[in-house]
Amino acid sequence: AQTVTQSQPEMSVQEAETVTLSCTYDTSESDYYLFWYKQPPSRQMILVIRQEAYKQQNATENRFSVNFQKAAKSFSLKISDSQLGDAAMYFCAYRGMEYGNKLVFGAGTILRVKS
Amino acid sequence: DAMVIQNPRYQVTQFGKPVTLSCSQTLNHNVMYWYQQKSSQAPKLLFHYYDKDFNNEADTPDNFQSRRPNTSFCFLDIRSPGLGDAAMYLCATSGTRGYGYTFGSGTRLTVV
């Protein structure tokens, strides 16, 4: 079974600075997808960024980028120029290619942004 | 805009009184999921529908059931809510493989 590990329960960053959230995963599949979701307090979970395992190029979405290391099974999220609105719980998630291909979530990292 | 809508946003129910949460989608996705999320924890999958094919997670209590009368709607029924069932319940949908899920805003259930 696939597992996703987020080893940082909480992180803090100063406004306008850069922060990196860590994620590792375990799988025996060669094709899969990885995601970062953001969940602000009492608000909807939204997709931040998505990475296909067969692509070597790291995904980027504006201030959000990932460092995908397939051999190391590592998938970190970098947030540049942090803003107060980035404060949220961030979940790393894995989705494989098996039937049902359910999302497997990590435990989450609470990101606090200080002004 | 295509979306996933959950009603109500907040639900208060009495201990042991059946309650139903609803989810609708305009995305025409064939898979719908129900998650339970407790404070500061990852969502826990309860069950999902692949079209009309119902899939229950092994550790989902019998107290939780679901119905999907058509592609657009899915319901979560809690037959006899206990205090431990107080949580946020998230509905999500999924279409083509490889894409993430689209989540609704959730229903926060309080049991009194």
Side-chain angles (χ1 to χ4, degrees):
Chain A
Q2 295 82 11
T3 58
V4 177
T5 302
Q6 293 179 248
S7 59
Q8 306 154 316
E10 286 192 32
M11 292 283 286
S12 291
V13 64
Q14 199 70 35
E15 202 175 1
E17 297 293 310
T18 295
V19 64
T20 298
L21 308 184
S22 301
C23 173
T24 59
Y25 59 94
D26 189 27
T27 184
S28 58
E29 295 181 295
S30 57
D31 285 333
Y32 50 86
Y33 301 85
L34 295 164
F35 308 89
W36 279 98
Y37 279 90
K38 170 185 177 182
Q39 188 178 37
S42 299
R43 293 184 63 186
Q44 190 171 4
M45 189 172 304
I46 59 173
L47 179 64
V48 174
I49 200 164
R50 166 180 172 266
Q51 175 79 43
E52 298 97 326
Y54 63 86
K55 286 188 178 180
Q56 292 185 335
Q57 186 174 6
N58 290 323
T60 299
E61 287 287 341
N62 300 314
R63 297 182 296 106
F64 299 86
S65 62
V66 298
N67 183 4
F68 173 51
Q69 302 290 328
K70 189 173 184 179
K73 296 180 181 174
S74 171
F75 182 61
S76 61
L77 174 70
K78 185 171 83 171
I79 306 174
S80 304
D81 185 25
S82 297
Q83 302 174 359
L84 294 177
D86 295 332
M89 174 80 94
Y90 286 81
F91 292 100
C92 178
Y94 169 101
R95 187 176 191 187
M97 301 300 287
E98 298 170 355
Y99 172 75
N101 51 89
K102 294 173 282 189
L103 269 183
V104 178
F105 286 97
T109 297
I110 296 172
L111 178 66
R112 305 190 193 281
V113 181
K114 296 180 282 190
S115 59
Chain B
D1 287 342
M3 55 176 58
V4 179
I5 301 166
Q6 290 189 245
N7 285 307
R9 187 78 173 89
Y10 299 92
Q11 176 75 57
V12 180
T13 190
Q14 291 181 336
F15 182 95
K17 184 175 181 180
V19 64
T20 295
L21 310 181
S22 72
C23 176
S24 64
Q25 57 134 338
T26 60
L27 298 158
N28 204 32
H29 284 167
N30 57 347
V31 192
M32 294 186 76
Y33 306 82
W34 278 106
Y35 283 87
Q36 179 192 66
Q37 186 180 28
K38 297 194 175 180
S39 181
S40 299
Q41 295 182 19
K44 177 181 180 299
L45 183 63
L46 296 173
F47 24 60
H48 73 279
Y49 276 94
Y50 194 104
D51 293 323
K52 284 195 173 292
D53 184 18
F54 176 71
N55 298 273
N56 201 31
E57 292 301 296
D59 57 353
T60 298
D62 292 339
N63 199 24
F64 291 85
Q65 297 183 337
S66 184
R67 296 170 282 136
R68 188 179 186 185
N70 53 53
T71 300
S72 301
F73 285 88
C74 196
F75 300 98
L76 170 62
D77 300 310
I78 308 176
R79 290 191 296 183
S80 182
L83 297 179
D85 297 328
M88 176 74 84
Y89 289 89
L90 300 173
C91 175
T93 70
S94 169
T96 306
R97 282 186 179 186
Y99 284 83
Y101 296 0
T102 301
F103 284 86
S105 298
T107 294
R108 182 166 296 282
L109 179 69
T110 301
V111 182
V112 298

